[in-house]
Amino acid sequence: MWCWVKKLSTLAAILLLAFFVSACNKGDASGKVKIEFFQNKPEAKGSFDKLISQFNQEHPGIEVTQVNPPEAETVLLTRVVKNDVPDIVGLGATDTYSILAQSGIFTDLANTELPRTIDPIYLKMLKDVTGVDPVYGIPYAANANGVMYNKTLFKEMGLRVPKTWDELIATAQKIKAAGKIPFYFTYKDDWQTNLPFNALGPNLVGIDFFLQRRENQVTFQDKYREVAEKQLELLKYGHGDNFGKNYADGNRAFANGQGLMYIQGSWAISEIRKANPKVELGFFPLPTGNDEKAVKLVSGIDTLLAVSESTPHKKEAEEFIAFLLKPENSKQYITEQTLFSAVKGVTQDDPSVAELLPYFKSGRVVDFADHYIPKAVQLNSIVQAFLQNRDIDAYLAKLDREWDKVANRR
Amino acid sequence: MNKRLTTFYWMTVPAVLLFFVFLTLPALQGFYYSLTNWNGFGHQYHFVGFKNYINLFQDDNVGNAYWFTFKFAIVVTIATNILSLLIALGLNAKIRFRNFFRGIYFLPNILSVLIVGYIFNYLFSNVFTIWGQNLGITSLSTNILGSEQLAWVGVVIVAVWQGIAFNTILYLAGLQTIPTSLYEASNLDGAGKWREFWSITFPLIAPFFTINMVLAMKNSLMVFDQIVALTNGGPGRATQSISHLIYTGGFKGGEFAYQSANSVIYFIVIAIISILQLRFLQRREMDN
């Protein structure tokens, strides 16, 4: 019996020691304010690291650290459950952001200097996504979803960039007739199947549809038939194994000249260049109809910056965001990431996306459709299943049914 | 109290406490949440009674996941046990390089499921398809993981490939408990190999057969990693298992309470199946 008591007391001593050591760590020896910056883009880790080290040098009293775990959105949600919200959160303007903003865990930044430097179009986008008025996040960078094309191969075949839906199909037919692959589809990953959905929906039906769908005034069955038909039409111009290749396969194949067009987001550019640095890329918005002037570019907020409501260091957090928003820093970030800045006056000069700039300049942009669809609906797998069984009626009915089921469970 | 008993209590009581804190308590908590509409992170939630359970029975995604999981589990259990018994018989015979072969067959069990999954994923999409094209076999020239009808076969292949290793080891252990004198006696009586297997080998490894069936069934009912690495539940929801549905719906979809209800039901189902299996197969052991 005695030997157990002895062992237990040793254990207790070790626990006590561990407690004191951890307690000491919490007391800050340097006197610096520590800020945690949590963001969800693994591609952007290096770029943020550079900016952070510059900020830390310029601000001796503040120390920002970056956290970028895999499956970041899920990690963030679990941390919110534990009431351990990071001081600054960077994530896309998705349904996850919308739910978090509605639960009131972020600070309202409307009365700070921060929103004043931002292009108002993105502030409005954020308001539409969440459906709430306060500015819980500062848009930082935007992406684009459209059609990437291989400039060299287009030139070889004497093709021009299609401006309308009919021209797009005609171009695809011409490429197919020449025995080449018009579109390189990567539909083994279900999120790839919703890229055409994201371009067709907002252009043909509009974003207001989702706001009305929330009120039960419209249904997918009424409005989305054309979207479904056109997505099936595109599938005719794929390669032999559309559902067998994933995103990574596609980036590699497209970089090496298989496929002339690639329906993709601007986030893939850096990945494609990794596979083949010499590839000459162009990018145009997916022409969804036959009125050339009505085609809008699908662009969403790739990263927004939000400050935790519970952090004791709001001032310092705002200071860091103001630093990131400085034109030269924003420029550096979007150049490295081939994204578009939400800061007024900062332009993207990469030749691959030059064709998209007029759309940004004139404000002909519209948000991704799936930012408005609750995650629990699991749009991606529904679209993927539809493209396999090609049953339009069942697909539209399924979208409505899943939406209602999810709304009913909340 | 006698000193030996005290020691045993010191061993059992902490284990019970740990078991309670880390397994029973979370399970009870999960049941509690399944009666609410909590999304997993909001600050407030309401009691909704058994609404989640009622919704579960009307959700065709849940039905679909159960159908896939049971189909998958039955095929994997049968295939794994037949193949691993055959391999174990071969490895137990007096063949050359016996230890080398035993090592080779155990290898899949050491590798992480996720890594194996990603390797097979690459093979299915970029290697087998090229073989198929070169050999002119159309059914092989596209990735079977991308087909709604065939994707589950791909997952079965990988699960069986990896599951065999562990079951083979258990069967080998079973085979080594059989005294060789029995075989010598049956040889004298002039029994053939086939007769020998059905009358001596199989009855004597019956307990190992039982445990292998139960383990393989339980493991494949809980299939998760293979799905994540190979198809992520797709195409559509064709290969979505129950645990994958619970994970994606609960954590990514923000329907924590709803999927908690799903996991409560799932727990009950697995428990019932395992108990039935054990009772049925153990009775068979007695008969022999």
Side-chain angles (χ1 to χ4, degrees):
Chain A
M1 195 66 208
W2 267 114
C3 90
W4 283 105
V5 173
K6 225 167 131 187
K7 274 184 187 159
L8 267 186
S9 55
T10 325
L11 190 73
I14 291 170
L15 283 176
L16 264 177
L17 194 72
F19 174 76
F20 278 119
V21 168
S22 66
C24 287
N25 271 344
K26 271 189 186 151
D28 203 43
S30 58
K32 278 185 182 175
V33 172
K34 290 196 174 165
I35 290 183
E36 185 188 1
F37 173 49
F38 182 104
Q39 63 92 13
N40 72 336
K41 268 175 76 81
E43 301 97 328
K45 188 169 188 300
S47 299
F48 276 126
D49 271 339
K50 275 189 229 165
L51 289 167
I52 287 169
S53 76
Q54 197 188 333
F55 176 84
N56 286 344
Q57 260 170 19
E58 288 173 20
H59 301 76
I62 309 176
E63 192 183 334
V64 176
T65 44
Q66 182 180 191
V67 175
N68 174 233
E71 289 269 351
E73 282 195 14
T74 312
V75 173
L76 181 63
L77 291 179
T78 55
R79 286 191 53 178
V80 175
V81 176
K82 291 190 292 179
N83 274 327
D84 176 27
V85 188
D87 301 306
I88 305 176
V89 176
L91 82 166
T94 56
D95 184 58
T96 306
Y97 166 72
S98 169
I99 297 171
L100 289 175
Q102 286 161 14
S103 349
I105 66 151
F106 296 135
T107 312
D108 182 5
L109 299 168
N111 295 322
T112 61
E113 284 298 311
L114 299 172
R116 279 175 244 292
T117 53
I118 305 296
D119 193 333
I121 199 167
Y122 293 111
L123 292 171
K124 180 171 181 300
M125 208 178 256
L126 219 51
K127 201 183 267 185
D128 287 344
V129 169
T130 56
V132 294
D133 272 333
V135 181
Y136 286 126
I138 301 294
Y140 184 54
N143 52 29
N145 173 15
V147 186
M148 241 177 250
Y149 67 100
N150 187 318
K151 274 187 180 167
T152 326
L153 295 179
F154 255 56
K155 217 178 279 167
E156 268 174 29
M157 285 194 65
L159 297 169
R160 282 207 346 253
V161 169
K163 297 277 185 209
T164 64
W165 173 259
D166 289 346
E167 280 177 33
L168 179 74
I169 296 298
T171 311
Q173 276 166 350
K174 221 183 268 175
I175 299 170
K176 199 179 175 184
K180 293 186 174 126
I181 301 168
F183 293 103
Y184 202 95
F185 289 124
T186 49
Y187 288 170
K188 182 165 183 299
D189 283 338
D190 59 2
W191 65 278
Q192 290 281 303
T193 60
N194 84 14
L195 293 175
F197 179 95
N198 272 331
L200 289 161
N203 266 306
L204 296 174
V205 189
I207 286 296
D208 286 345
F209 170 83
F210 295 105
L211 309 179
Q212 289 164 3
R213 187 70 187 77
R214 285 179 194 165
E215 311 290 320
N216 256 332
Q217 291 161 349
V218 286
T219 60
F220 283 98
Q221 292 174 78
D222 294 340
K223 302 272 185 171
Y224 262 70
R225 181 162 293 273
E226 191 183 351
V227 173
E229 284 166 353
K230 285 192 167 161
Q231 203 169 351
L232 274 189
E233 174 88 20
L234 287 174
L235 202 57
K236 288 184 194 158
Y237 304 100
H239 50 92
D241 197 8
N242 296 325
F243 294 93
K245 303 291 180 194
N246 63 23
Y247 175 61
D249 294 331
N251 289 341
R252 217 175 312 127
F254 185 72
N256 293 317
Q258 294 182 45
L260 275 79
M261 293 185 274
Y262 192 30
I263 300 180
Q264 198 53 271
S266 49
W267 53 77
I269 294 177
S270 55
E271 294 296 311
I272 292 170
R273 285 190 177 145
K274 265 182 218 161
N276 178 7
K278 276 182 271 177
V279 65
E280 264 194 78
L281 297 173
F283 209 132
F284 59 89
L286 185 74
T288 50
N290 283 329
D291 178 6
E292 194 183 309
K293 297 222 165 56
V295 174
K296 286 182 180 170
L297 173 69
V298 172
S299 163
I301 297 168
D302 201 59
T303 298
L304 57 81
L305 302 163
V307 178
S308 155
E309 177 67 38
S310 54
T311 173
H313 306 302
K314 277 185 193 169
K315 245 217 161 63
E316 291 83 358
E318 282 167 26
E319 209 169 317
F320 177 64
I321 294 177
F323 169 83
L324 290 180
L325 291 177
K326 276 188 190 169
E328 65 269 24
N329 295 334
S330 174
K331 178 98 186 170
Q332 182 187 332
Y333 178 75
I334 61 160
T335 308
E336 287 174 16
Q337 298 294 319
T338 350
L339 295 166
F340 304 91
S341 180
V343 179
K344 282 183 210 161
V346 179
T347 54
Q348 173 58 264
D349 304 323
D350 194 289
S352 64
V353 291
E355 290 153 85
L356 302 180
L357 295 181
Y359 291 88
F360 282 107
K361 204 169 272 174
S362 56
R364 281 168 65 193
V365 290
V366 63
D367 199 359
F368 284 72
D370 66 348
H371 289 177
Y372 296 84
I373 298 177
K375 268 234 166 100
V377 170
Q378 307 217 353
L379 170 78
N380 299 349
S381 69
I382 298 178
V383 178
Q384 193 188 33
F386 157 61
L387 293 180
Q388 290 234 326
N389 59 41
R390 295 159 191 259
D391 184 343
I392 294 182
D393 291 312
Y395 162 59
L396 297 178
K398 173 110 183 154
L399 280 175
D400 280 320
R401 205 168 58 240
E402 290 296 315
W403 183 294
D404 291 337
K405 267 197 313 203
V406 170
N408 186 34
R409 281 185 221 138
R410 281 200 172 170
Chain B
M1 214 187 303
N2 130 3
K3 205 176 167 190
R4 256 187 73 196
L5 274 182
T6 326
T7 317
F8 285 128
Y9 274 111
W10 272 108
M11 285 153 123
T12 344
V13 173
V16 167
L17 282 178
L18 287 175
F19 186 88
F20 181 78
V21 170
F22 289 108
L23 291 163
T24 318
L25 212 57
L28 291 174
Q29 249 178 338
F31 178 67
Y32 167 79
Y33 285 128
S34 76
L35 301 175
T36 69
N37 67 350
W38 196 39
N39 61 8
F41 40 83
H43 287 306
Q44 48 184 338
Y45 53 84
H46 305 287
F47 271 93
V48 295
F50 285 93
K51 188 178 156 200
N52 286 328
Y53 290 89
I54 295 165
N55 281 333
L56 268 182
F57 285 101
Q58 291 162 350
D59 192 343
D60 51 346
N61 294 328
V62 175
N64 172 55
Y66 270 89
W67 162 238
F68 165 74
T69 311
F70 277 93
K71 178 173 71 176
F72 173 83
I74 291 170
V75 174
V76 169
T77 307
I78 294 174
T80 316
N81 277 289
I82 293 177
L83 289 172
S84 51
L85 186 53
L86 286 177
I87 293 173
L89 286 171
L91 289 177
N92 199 42
K94 289 195 183 65
I95 52 169
R96 273 173 185 253
F97 308 118
R98 197 164 66 166
N99 287 334
F100 169 75
F101 281 122
R102 283 182 183 179
I104 288 282
Y105 279 108
F106 195 59
L107 210 59
N109 193 51
I110 302 168
L111 301 169
S112 140
V113 185
L114 270 180
I115 293 173
V116 169
Y118 284 117
I119 293 171
F120 268 93
N121 199 353
Y122 184 82
L123 293 178
F124 275 124
S125 73
N126 295 316
V127 178
F128 297 157
T129 51
I130 292 172
W131 292 356
Q133 282 157 18
N134 290 342
L135 294 170
I137 308 168
T138 38
S139 57
L140 252 185
S141 57
T142 55
N143 185 348
I144 61 167
L145 294 178
S147 145
E148 238 180 344
Q149 285 81 36
L150 292 178
W152 73 280
V153 179
V155 186
V156 165
I157 292 173
V158 178
V160 170
W161 183 82
Q162 195 165 30
I164 284 174
F166 186 66
N167 288 16
T168 304
I169 289 294
L170 285 188
Y171 277 127
L172 260 179
L175 289 173
Q176 280 161 5
T177 61
I178 304 175
T180 41
S181 54
L182 280 177
Y183 291 114
E184 284 158 9
S186 75
N187 256 338
L188 286 179
D189 292 341
K193 280 280 164 208
W194 194 239
R195 186 66 205 269
E196 202 175 88
F197 174 77
W198 281 116
S199 303
I200 301 176
T201 314
F202 196 63
L204 283 177
I205 58 164
F208 293 89
F209 179 71
T210 307
I211 199 70
N212 267 340
M213 287 295 275
V214 175
L215 281 182
M217 188 74 183
K218 192 214 108 212
N219 279 341
S220 37
L221 280 177
M222 291 172 42
V223 58
F224 180 78
D225 321 32
Q226 284 101 334
I227 304 281
V228 169
L230 287 168
T231 61
N232 210 4
R237 286 178 189 263
T239 58
Q240 184 161 50
S241 70
I242 305 167
S243 38
H244 188 258
L245 174 67
I246 291 173
Y247 170 74
T248 48
F251 292 107
K252 289 186 173 168
E255 296 197 307
F256 191 83
Y258 179 64
Q259 294 300 346
S260 291
N262 197 1
S263 46
V264 169
I265 295 204
Y266 184 37
F267 166 74
I268 295 171
V269 167
I270 290 193
I272 291 176
I273 290 177
S274 303
I275 292 168
L276 286 181
Q277 241 185 335
L278 276 174
R279 294 188 80 181
F280 174 75
L281 291 169
Q282 268 172 350
R283 195 173 307 143
R284 204 190 55 87
E285 281 171 32
M286 307 294 176
D287 289 347
N288 281 305

